[in-house]
Amino acid sequence: MIVPTGSPDVLLRTEGRAGFITLNRPRAINALTHAMVLAVDDALSRWEHDPAVTTVVIEGAGERGLCAGGDIRAIHDDARAGGSASAAFWQDEYRLNARISHYPKPYVALMDGIVMGGGVGVSAHGSVRVVTERSRVAMPETGIGFVPDVGGTHLLGRAPGELGTHLALTGGQIGAADAVLTGLADRFVPTAELPALIHDLKDLPADLALTRHAASPPPGVLAEQREWIDACYTAPTVEEIVERLFDAGVPAAKETAEILLAKSPTALKVTLTALRRSRVLATLEEALDLEYRVSCAALNSLDLVEGIRAQVVDKDRNPRWTPATLPEVTDAEVARWFAAPAGGDLGLAAEAAEAAHRGARGGA
């Protein structure tokens, strides 16, 4: 049965005992708009208490991927205009990320193809995360003068060793095995098996359906790189991380240092601080609150507009960062990104605590 939504870019259907959410902007690799976020949230509300729906599946239309992230052109235009649309989008997007993490029914994310930024937010917080040999998973924000959000600091901060720090700073894409290794995915299913998996999800419990089709992924690369990654990224500052990478005597480490030096210096320093703060936070909601502060601060930075211009608008791939070097980014500038935004904090952690308190009183 096809279920209407408030956005033509999100298609809903129920088949058997499963509800299917299809992100439907294939020409934009299903990049998320505000209307799409609201439509997904509405679908989760609709199916949460529907006894006929026992499993929810999210997938992407087309052949290129689940979701390439948020609509960064819209964010670019909003930041240039000094608007408030991006902050409103993040408020609802981050609430959706938190909701997915606590959804009471199996939430199966088919992470085939490109899954980046906001695409990670609507998939990697789910209870069943499926990758394929085509999966390319990344939080590439430092390349556009931004910082990992949608709970990315929470996810990457809990990856083994310093793998999450490496991925957060470089924005590097990883395949199926490394997504599983870093905790961004659970199971590998070959792309050719996805139609059969989808068929089984209609009538079988999600874990049983996965058991029928899951396999061992092709080898990744991060496990073999753990030694130099862990040794270099434990440094206290981005400058020292870069220095250690150059001095490691490993070609891949040197290449990584050069990659970092092409990113926004401010975004690198804010990302490292956000990731390390998030590591000691107890909940995803606390991390999302922190990320909301950082995201709002980015709207007032020069690097976000410039980074999106260089990578997406003009596509000259030659951003001119301000400041241009790591030593020019002061501790005071980094601290500014963590101040409460003018419109107020997101407050997800407080809302979660209040909901837990009400639940405890109701059960007493």
Side-chain angles (χ1 to χ4, degrees):
M1 180 178 69
I2 305 298
V3 183
T5 76
S7 170
D9 297 328
V10 174
L11 305 178
L12 303 181
R13 71 185 191 278
T14 55
E15 296 185 30
R17 305 202 67 188
F20 290 86
I21 301 170
T22 303
L23 305 181
N24 189 40
R25 295 183 68 205
R27 293 181 63 182
I29 320 181
N30 305 313
L32 293 171
T33 65
H34 199 162
M36 291 170 71
V37 166
L38 295 175
V40 172
D41 187 72
D42 182 67
L44 295 182
S45 294
R46 188 178 312 189
W47 289 332
E48 181 171 351
H49 302 292
D50 183 348
V53 175
T54 59
T55 300
V56 173
V57 182
I58 188 165
E59 60 187 357
E63 299 297 322
R64 298 170 69 189
L66 171 65
C67 176
D71 189 340
I72 59 175
R73 276 184 175 268
I75 293 172
H76 170 273
D77 295 345
D78 186 49
R80 287 191 64 186
S84 59
S86 296
F89 167 66
W90 289 323
Q91 287 172 8
D92 288 324
E93 183 184 27
Y94 298 175
R95 284 190 164 85
L96 175 62
N97 302 147
R99 180 176 200 171
I100 290 168
S101 75
H102 299 296
Y103 201 63
K105 298 180 179 182
Y107 178 97
V108 182
L110 302 181
M111 301 169 69
D112 186 40
I114 292 173
V115 185
M116 298 184 183
V120 173
V122 296
S123 59
H125 298 299
S127 54
V128 184
R129 293 99 38 101
V130 178
V131 282
T132 74
E133 73 277 6
R134 294 175 0 106
S135 295
R136 295 295 177 267
V137 184
M139 296 297 294
E141 286 79 7
T142 57
I144 58 167
F146 198 46
V147 175
D149 66 335
V150 298
T153 63
H154 177 83
L155 293 165
L156 295 176
R158 285 153 179 77
E162 294 294 330
L163 294 180
T165 311
H166 172 65
L167 295 177
L169 294 182
T170 63
Q173 299 179 26
I174 56 175
D178 289 331
V180 174
L181 172 64
T182 54
L184 299 178
D186 303 302
R187 305 294 291 273
F188 170 79
V189 174
T191 300
E193 285 288 306
L194 287 181
L197 171 62
I198 289 170
H199 180 271
D200 284 348
L201 286 169
K202 297 173 186 176
D203 298 303
L204 295 177
D207 56 351
L208 180 55
L210 261 294
T211 298
R212 287 188 172 189
H213 302 286
S216 297
V221 299
L222 290 180
E224 295 181 356
Q225 298 177 338
R226 271 289 301 274
E227 184 175 357
W228 64 261
I229 287 175
D230 288 353
C232 294
Y233 284 94
T234 53
T237 66
V238 178
E239 289 94 329
E240 189 171 339
I241 288 172
V242 171
E243 183 179 347
R244 290 189 188 185
L245 289 168
F246 275 123
D247 293 343
V250 179
K254 181 177 182 294
E255 292 171 8
T256 298
E258 292 166 348
I259 289 171
L260 290 180
L261 291 178
K263 307 295 183 182
S264 160
T266 301
L268 288 175
K269 287 198 171 185
V270 175
T271 294
L272 184 63
T273 301
L275 195 70
R276 289 179 172 170
R277 289 190 184 188
S278 184
R279 275 180 176 169
V280 300
L281 298 177
T283 66
L284 170 62
E285 285 81 3
E286 290 175 280
L288 288 165
D289 284 345
L290 179 148
E291 291 173 358
Y292 181 71
R293 288 186 169 200
V294 170
S295 297
C296 289
L299 292 174
N300 298 315
S301 75
L302 296 174
D303 279 5
L304 179 60
V305 170
E306 172 61 12
I308 298 175
R309 178 206 66 77
Q311 299 297 335
V312 178
V313 179
D314 297 337
K315 299 182 180 179
D316 59 29
R317 307 292 192 267
N318 185 34
R320 295 177 289 274
W321 305 122
T322 305
T325 66
L326 288 165
E328 293 177 274
V329 182
T330 66
D331 291 344
E333 171 60 17
V334 172
R336 182 187 68 79
W337 287 62
F338 295 89
D345 278 322
L346 184 58
L348 274 178
E351 292 172 11
E354 175 60 25
H357 181 63
R358 288 198 304 269
R361 286 188 302 176

